[in-house]
Amino acid sequence: MDWLDPEPFLRGTAWLDRGRAVRADPADLDRLPWDTVERAALPIGVRVEFTAAPGTRSVELRYRAASPGSLPHCFALWRGARCVGEVTTEPAEEATVRLGLPSGGGVFSVHPPEDRAPVILGLRAVGGVLSPAPARPRWLVHGDSITEGWWSTRPAHSWPATAGRTLGLDTVNLGFAGGARGELPLAEQLARLPGELVTLAFGTNCWSEAPSSADRLYETVRAYVGLVRRGHPDAPLLILSPVLRPEAETTRNAVGATLDDLRAAMEHAGRDLASEGDQRLLVLSGRGLLGPEHLADGLHPDDAGHARIAAAVARALRPHVPA
């Protein structure tokens, strides 16, 4: 059977740049910090989703890895809320992987190895028929390395991926490790992306990577939301303030703000915007979502921590998910 064009099967895509899924506008990179541009080249959260007809035995994916690395490439197959198989291949610049499908057909998602920056070149069914999975409401999620999924053991275990599955959403992961410091050009890019829901989950790097005062972050959040609202005036928009970071909670940064100060500033900005008329703006405090036992390295959640964030976000968004 001939290879199928992968583009109709890709989900979680922000932009395509000559067939590569990227997470920042290729025509608007000059205004972004270099580290954000670098992270945006990784297809975090991008999936291949398809409906397999009953009797389809397996699916083959042909891919090219921009950085093959030295570790095996792992492809995870999900049906609904369950991982139903994983296949690992030896690192290669270009290869084909075959994943066996459970009987009965249905809708499946394949999570490629994100850190190898794979480009899916084609897919095909073995012993059956594949068609693109039905479209779902798109959820744009912007944040830092925690949103990107750091220290989750698999891409599918990050909190945006988990919450998206729970809510039946097409999650577009716009998390940038080391970034998400309130860069307003990113807010303008978010405004241009199609999406039915938006979540902003930055703040922890405003304590350390780019130190901010509470007053400055308050104004940054207001400006950020205002820019996003130009493209998504009626979308449910959730502000998730920083989760626990023990070293930073009561320690002042270079300009005198603790993480607790910054968290309060973000939440204050969100509540003020809501009281001023933004009726679809929601605020979820990250402070009580995790305990120290949920942090793999004192900063990033483990799988259990990601699951706790996902559950809280899903509860907050569930009443606002489009039917």
Side-chain angles (χ1 to χ4, degrees):
M1 180 178 290
D2 292 337
W3 291 100
L4 299 171
D5 178 2
E7 186 170 336
F9 295 84
L10 294 179
R11 300 292 184 268
T13 53
W15 289 269
L16 288 174
D17 183 15
R18 290 168 293 180
R20 273 191 324 130
V22 295
R23 299 182 302 124
D25 186 347
D28 188 24
L29 298 180
D30 291 345
R31 297 192 299 151
L32 301 181
W34 70 267
D35 54 351
T36 298
V37 173
E38 186 177 76
R39 299 306 297 181
L42 296 178
I44 303 298
V46 174
R47 312 166 306 282
V48 177
E49 296 193 348
F50 57 88
T51 300
T56 306
R57 296 194 302 274
S58 57
V59 60
E60 288 186 337
L61 299 178
R62 186 163 59 91
Y63 72 99
R64 179 184 301 121
S67 54
S70 58
L71 298 175
H73 299 172
C74 179
F75 291 77
L77 178 72
W78 285 69
R79 179 163 63 178
R82 292 183 58 242
C83 180
V84 294
E86 288 188 345
V87 171
T88 57
T89 65
E90 291 302 312
E93 290 187 5
E94 189 167 325
T96 297
V97 61
R98 176 179 289 192
L99 297 105
L101 301 179
S103 61
V107 179
F108 296 90
S109 299
V110 177
H111 292 259
E114 298 170 334
D115 59 341
R116 302 280 69 96
V119 176
I120 305 300
L121 303 175
L123 72 161
R124 63 186 178 187
V126 177
V129 178
L130 304 178
S131 58
R136 293 176 288 163
R138 277 167 57 95
W139 177 32
L140 311 178
V141 189
H142 171 57
D144 47 41
S145 56
I146 296 171
T147 297
E148 204 180 70
W150 278 37
W151 291 112
S152 60
T153 57
R154 294 288 189 274
H157 295 170
S158 72
W159 73 259
T162 302
R165 276 195 306 275
T166 299
L167 296 172
L169 300 173
D170 178 8
T171 304
V172 180
N173 189 313
L174 300 168
F176 304 107
R181 298 162 294 227
E183 298 90 346
L184 297 184
L186 273 174
E188 293 179 308
Q189 293 192 14
L190 269 169
R192 296 195 294 267
L193 275 178
E196 284 70 52
L197 301 96
V198 181
T199 292
L200 305 177
F202 61 87
T204 195
N205 287 334
C206 297
W207 178 78
S208 54
E209 298 296 323
S212 174
S213 67
D215 288 345
R216 180 181 178 184
L217 187 56
Y218 173 89
E219 296 298 340
T220 296
V221 170
R222 290 182 63 95
Y224 208 102
V225 172
L227 289 172
V228 171
R229 280 294 188 219
R230 292 183 179 181
H232 305 285
D234 300 315
L237 191 157
L238 173 69
I239 293 174
L240 171 61
S241 66
V243 297
L244 176 69
R245 184 174 179 178
E247 65 167 337
E249 293 298 329
T250 59
T251 302
R252 299 193 180 280
N253 65 11
V255 293
T258 68
L259 186 62
D260 199 48
D261 295 334
L262 298 178
R263 183 183 295 115
M266 287 190 70
E267 295 169 11
H268 186 194
R271 288 193 296 269
D272 281 356
L273 287 167
S275 68
E276 292 164 12
D278 192 337
Q279 297 179 357
R280 307 212 75 187
L281 193 145
L282 314 166
V283 177
L284 175 62
S285 177
R287 177 61 180 89
L289 301 185
L290 303 180
E293 69 275 14
H294 302 120
L295 301 176
D297 60 354
L299 172 59
H300 300 97
D302 56 16
D303 280 348
H306 277 279
R308 288 176 64 90
I309 299 172
V313 169
R315 284 194 298 270
L317 285 179
R318 189 181 299 280
H320 307 276
V321 172

